[in-house]
């Protein structure tokens, strides 16, 4: 359960899944340090959640930041959720810069924080939940390198899990792969573009995603997996619930 955690860090906490995860943790009694680049979004989260939420305006890809937060605050839960919106276009309309955007944000941030968690190290019994994507399973032809970047995020979690076991650290790592959903800003934009690609309206495309995944479901899954010592390495989450992925 989340109340077993003394301090959590949530990256990408200003909106979407990250905001919902921070809210679930604070509501359950776990103080949260929320990291994001947008001060206004973080201030809004702080206003809504109160003193249990500490906003930190920073770039989550900063390796020094990861080291300092772990050293100074000794969190026993990390939720690695930060990332950028992919550039949505067919492959031939990408440049390398747009194609690789998520490698430089999503993947780099997961690497920085996971490395810091292992080298700190976090205390035995700590947990690291890393947000990958259902695109790893289903593909994402309009998102450039997004699916590959999120696959690398999942691999980073797997590698860290193995290293924690090999070194006897007692730190648990699990990756969560959320299905595409129109209930976040990133997802809504992708749904609109994929509907156009398939020649259907957004309502018809969304019907194919039923039951629609919500940020609140993702937050519950994060809290449950973080507190489950028997959790496996990776799970796909849809509106219908969790499914282990091999």
């Amino acid at each position: 359960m989340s109340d077993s955690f003394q301090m959590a860090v949530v990256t990408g906490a200003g909106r979407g899944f990250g905001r919902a995860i921070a809210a679930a943790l604070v509501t359950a009694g776990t103080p949260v340090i929320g990291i994001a680049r947008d001060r206004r979004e973080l201030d809004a989260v702080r206003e809504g959640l109160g003193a249990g939420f500490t906003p930190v305006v920073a770039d989550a890809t900063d390796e020094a930041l990861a080291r300092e937060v772990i050293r100074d605050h000794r969190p026993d839960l990390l939720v690695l959720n930060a990332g950028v919106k992919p550039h949505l276009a067919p492959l031939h309309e990408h440049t390398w810069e747009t194609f690789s955007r998520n490698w430089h944000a999503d993947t780099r941030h997961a690497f920085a924080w996971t490395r810091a968690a292992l080298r700190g190290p976090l205390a035995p019994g700590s947990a690291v939940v890393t947000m990958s994507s259902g695109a790893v399973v289903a593909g994402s032809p309009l998102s450039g390198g997004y699916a590959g970047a999120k696959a690398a995020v999942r691999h980073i979690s797997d590698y860290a899990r193995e290293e924690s076991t090999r070194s006897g650290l007692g730190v648990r790592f699990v990756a969560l792969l959320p299905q595409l959903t129109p209930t976040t800003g990133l997802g809504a934009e992708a749904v609109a573009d994929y509907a156009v690609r398939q020649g259907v309206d957004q309502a018809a495309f969304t019907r194919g995603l039923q039951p629609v995944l919500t940020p609140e479901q993702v937050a519950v899954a994060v809290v449950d997996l973080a507190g489950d010592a028997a959790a496996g390495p990776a799970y796909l989450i849809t509106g219908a619930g969790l499914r282990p992925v091999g």
Side-chain angles (χ1 to χ4, degrees):
M1 300 296 293
S2 67
D3 59 7
S4 65
F5 295 105
Q6 301 303 306
M7 174 66 70
V9 172
V10 179
T11 64
R15 65 176 75 175
F17 292 153
R19 182 171 185 163
I21 293 163
L25 288 165
V26 170
T27 299
T30 299
V32 171
I33 297 172
I35 297 171
R37 290 178 293 181
D38 191 307
R39 180 179 297 278
R40 286 179 297 177
E41 289 180 346
L42 284 179
D43 286 345
V45 179
R46 164 74 180 198
E47 182 176 351
L49 298 183
F53 181 84
T54 302
V56 175
V57 180
D59 182 347
T61 67
D62 185 341
E63 293 188 38
L65 172 74
R67 292 193 302 269
E68 290 165 7
V69 168
I70 288 174
R71 181 194 66 212
D72 295 344
H73 297 281
R74 306 307 299 171
D76 50 359
L77 173 59
L78 301 180
V79 183
L80 305 183
N81 171 73
V84 297
K85 287 185 178 181
H87 178 71
L88 294 171
L91 179 64
H92 61 286
E93 295 180 8
H94 275 272
T95 64
W96 175 246
E97 286 70 26
T98 63
F99 184 89
S100 64
R101 176 180 297 176
N102 296 97
W103 288 88
H104 295 292
D106 307 45
T107 310
R108 182 175 180 179
H109 127 273
F111 170 79
W113 285 87
T114 301
R115 182 172 184 265
L118 290 171
R119 292 176 66 89
L122 296 181
S126 297
V128 180
V129 180
T130 304
M131 303 298 288
S132 178
S133 171
V136 173
V137 177
S140 185
L142 283 183
S143 301
Y146 177 80
K150 289 298 191 180
V153 166
R154 186 223 166 147
H155 286 307
I156 287 169
S157 179
D158 285 346
Y159 300 159
R161 185 184 182 100
E162 179 181 351
E163 292 304 322
S164 177
T165 299
R166 284 168 54 89
S167 301
L169 298 181
V171 180
R172 294 181 288 107
F173 291 84
V174 59
L176 189 61
L177 288 66
Q179 181 189 42
L180 176 65
T181 174
T183 61
T184 67
L186 184 156
E189 185 176 340
V191 164
D193 281 26
Y194 276 108
V196 171
R197 181 181 176 89
Q198 294 186 9
V200 299
D201 62 30
Q202 291 183 45
F205 185 87
T206 300
R207 284 195 292 273
L209 301 175
Q210 296 293 334
V212 170
L213 178 65
T214 68
E216 291 72 25
Q217 286 176 294
V218 171
V220 169
V222 167
V223 172
D224 288 347
L225 291 172
D228 184 0
Y235 293 84
L236 177 71
I237 182 169
T238 70
L242 288 170
R243 175 169 63 85
V245 293

